[in-house]
Amino acid sequence: SEVSDPSTILRRLDAWARDERPSYEQAFVDLCLPTLLAPLVRLALLCWRPLAAGDLAQQPWHRQLTSAAASLAGELAAADGAAGGEIAAGGRGEERAASDRAMLARRGALPARLACDLALPLLKHAVTHSWDVFSLR
């Protein structure tokens, strides 16, 4: 289903940002992304066993978010290249470039933010309740 896959959700939001940037920015979508994706990440983390599974970056949701950020960066770079890097009259091109950089920064930080907010407490709980200080292992 479309609403259960983070990469599909992000593709739809990227299309919205590309087609109707003012509307996208007025809705503060980038600021709402952690809240929007948190239930999907929580669902994925239900089966995650931090001490056994290990690397969080290998989780499907983390890979999807990272690849979506890379895809967005490629799309924005291609759009900038297609425009010839020209600055439109009235500084609109500079505003757009600044907006693109801010959107890329927020999107790039999204996997880390979700990991800190959702996975770190699980890891802390697992270490606190599973690690024996007096163990020789």
Side-chain angles (χ1 to χ4, degrees):
S1 165
E2 279 189 18
V3 295
S4 65
D5 183 30
S7 59
T8 305
I9 292 171
L10 291 175
R11 268 196 311 271
R12 290 259 187 174
L13 293 173
D14 291 346
W16 180 19
R18 188 176 47 252
D19 298 340
E20 299 179 31
R21 179 60 68 93
S23 168
Y24 180 87
E25 289 177 351
Q26 287 175 351
F28 296 102
V29 174
D30 282 337
L31 298 177
C32 298
L33 278 177
T35 305
L36 179 68
L37 296 173
L40 299 175
V41 173
R42 278 193 187 100
L43 182 64
L45 289 175
L46 282 176
C47 299
W48 182 56
R49 300 291 172 249
L51 299 179
D55 194 6
L56 190 62
Q58 297 306 315
Q59 293 293 312
W61 64 268
H62 195 280
R63 286 195 312 258
Q64 288 174 345
L65 295 178
T66 304
S67 67
S71 172
L72 177 65
E75 287 178 20
L76 291 177
D80 186 41
E86 297 174 6
I87 304 299
R92 297 271 311 156
E94 291 177 7
E95 289 177 16
R96 180 70 180 243
S99 173
D100 287 350
R101 284 192 300 273
M103 188 164 80
L104 278 175
R106 285 189 295 268
R107 188 65 65 85
L110 185 60
R113 180 165 179 198
L114 288 170
C116 287
D117 291 347
L118 303 174
L120 210 54
L122 294 175
L123 179 61
K124 180 182 174 191
H125 182 269
V127 168
T128 302
H129 294 288
S130 300
W131 183 49
D132 182 11
V133 179
F134 299 108
S135 173
L136 296 176
R137 290 193 287 159

